[in-house]
Amino acid sequence: MNQQTKWNQYYQKVSPLPHRKLVERAIKLDKTGHRVAVDCGCGSGAETAYLLAQQYEVHAFDCNEDAVTLTHQRCKNYPKLNLTLDSFSEFEFPISSLITANNSLFFCEAKEFDAVWNRIRSSLIRGGVFCGDFIGHNDTWNQDPSRALAPVDKVMLDDMFKGFEIVFSKERDELGKTAIGNEKHWHTFTLIAIKR
């Protein structure tokens, strides 16, 4: 099964799902009044649609054409949507008060990761909120030579989030299933943090 087929299966499974509760929590922490959000790797558009419904101007991107099409279909009635076909390395991050990267920074190539993270940090205003996931070293996907992932550990995360207040942090390190039902070992870090 090629990568495109896998992505198509993934989108079919997740398209009916609602946004993650993590995003609701992040929005409640955004006290800036700026109301500009970025949805990194927007996938089927669940988080993008929710952010738009909360009156954010949303800049959403994905490197997969099907994802951009799905997000456009889901959110086409919202005038405050800026949707692009982009990779992490190509996307121009606007000045934002909320950046969400749910299960997407996994796929930022290792050689680009530091530069991308610096651009995410720089684009967040003071008081702005980051919420998202990072892949850890024990994750099965790191053993796949076709993926050039950028795994992190707790020490790296502490360094990356200097100048932030971490308000939620969870590590997952266990066997589980992917959205399309494949077994794998998950090792992820999920964080919500406010830039101080």
Side-chain angles (χ1 to χ4, degrees):
M1 184 185 306
N2 67 28
Q3 282 299 109
Q4 188 58 42
T5 304
K6 285 181 185 175
W7 279 116
N8 288 340
Q9 285 185 342
Y10 171 76
Y11 293 133
Q12 285 172 14
K13 286 278 188 187
V14 301
S15 286
L17 300 177
H19 63 277
R20 284 174 75 185
K21 297 292 184 187
L22 195 75
V23 177
E24 286 185 34
R25 189 166 175 187
I27 286 172
K28 288 176 185 167
L29 294 166
D30 178 7
K31 311 288 189 194
T32 64
H34 187 62
R35 308 303 278 186
V36 176
V38 176
D39 188 8
C40 304
C42 56
S44 63
E47 274 78 39
T48 298
Y50 183 70
L51 289 162
L52 288 162
Q54 305 309 305
Q55 307 304 311
Y56 276 84
E57 176 186 332
V58 181
H59 298 258
F61 72 94
D62 204 293
C63 63
N64 186 298
E65 284 186 39
D66 292 336
V68 172
T69 300
L70 283 167
T71 300
H72 173 72
Q73 289 168 350
R74 191 173 201 156
C75 304
K76 62 187 173 189
N77 295 325
Y78 290 98
K80 290 185 176 181
L81 173 63
N82 304 281
L83 178 62
T84 56
L85 179 67
D86 269 319
S87 68
F88 276 102
S89 60
E90 296 165 340
F91 182 71
E92 301 265 344
F93 284 87
I95 300 301
S96 311
S97 61
L98 178 62
I99 296 180
T100 177
N102 292 316
N103 300 318
S104 60
L105 276 165
F106 297 178
F107 305 105
C108 179
E109 287 196 29
K111 64 183 180 184
E112 300 168 352
F113 186 79
D114 288 346
V116 166
W117 179 247
N118 285 333
R119 293 195 350 259
I120 288 173
R121 280 185 66 107
S122 297
S123 70
L124 260 182
I125 63 173
R126 185 170 298 201
V129 181
F130 171 87
C131 74
D133 309 289
F134 300 88
I135 197 163
H137 288 279
N138 298 336
D139 198 286
T140 303
W141 284 344
N142 290 310
Q143 298 159 15
D144 182 348
S146 70
R147 303 176 192 264
L149 306 180
V152 301
D153 57 32
K154 290 177 182 175
V155 173
M156 291 171 66
L157 287 170
D158 285 346
D159 188 53
M160 288 166 59
F161 282 92
K162 278 184 180 156
F164 284 76
E165 175 192 351
I166 295 175
V167 295
F168 175 80
S169 177
K170 181 181 178 185
E171 180 179 6
R172 180 185 184 193
D173 195 355
E174 63 186 4
L175 285 172
K177 290 191 175 181
T178 66
I180 59 174
N182 295 333
E183 285 240 340
K184 71 182 283 277
H185 188 96
W186 287 97
H187 188 204
T188 59
F189 298 91
T190 301
L191 288 91
I192 302 177
I194 304 170
K195 188 175 180 181
R196 297 305 189 195

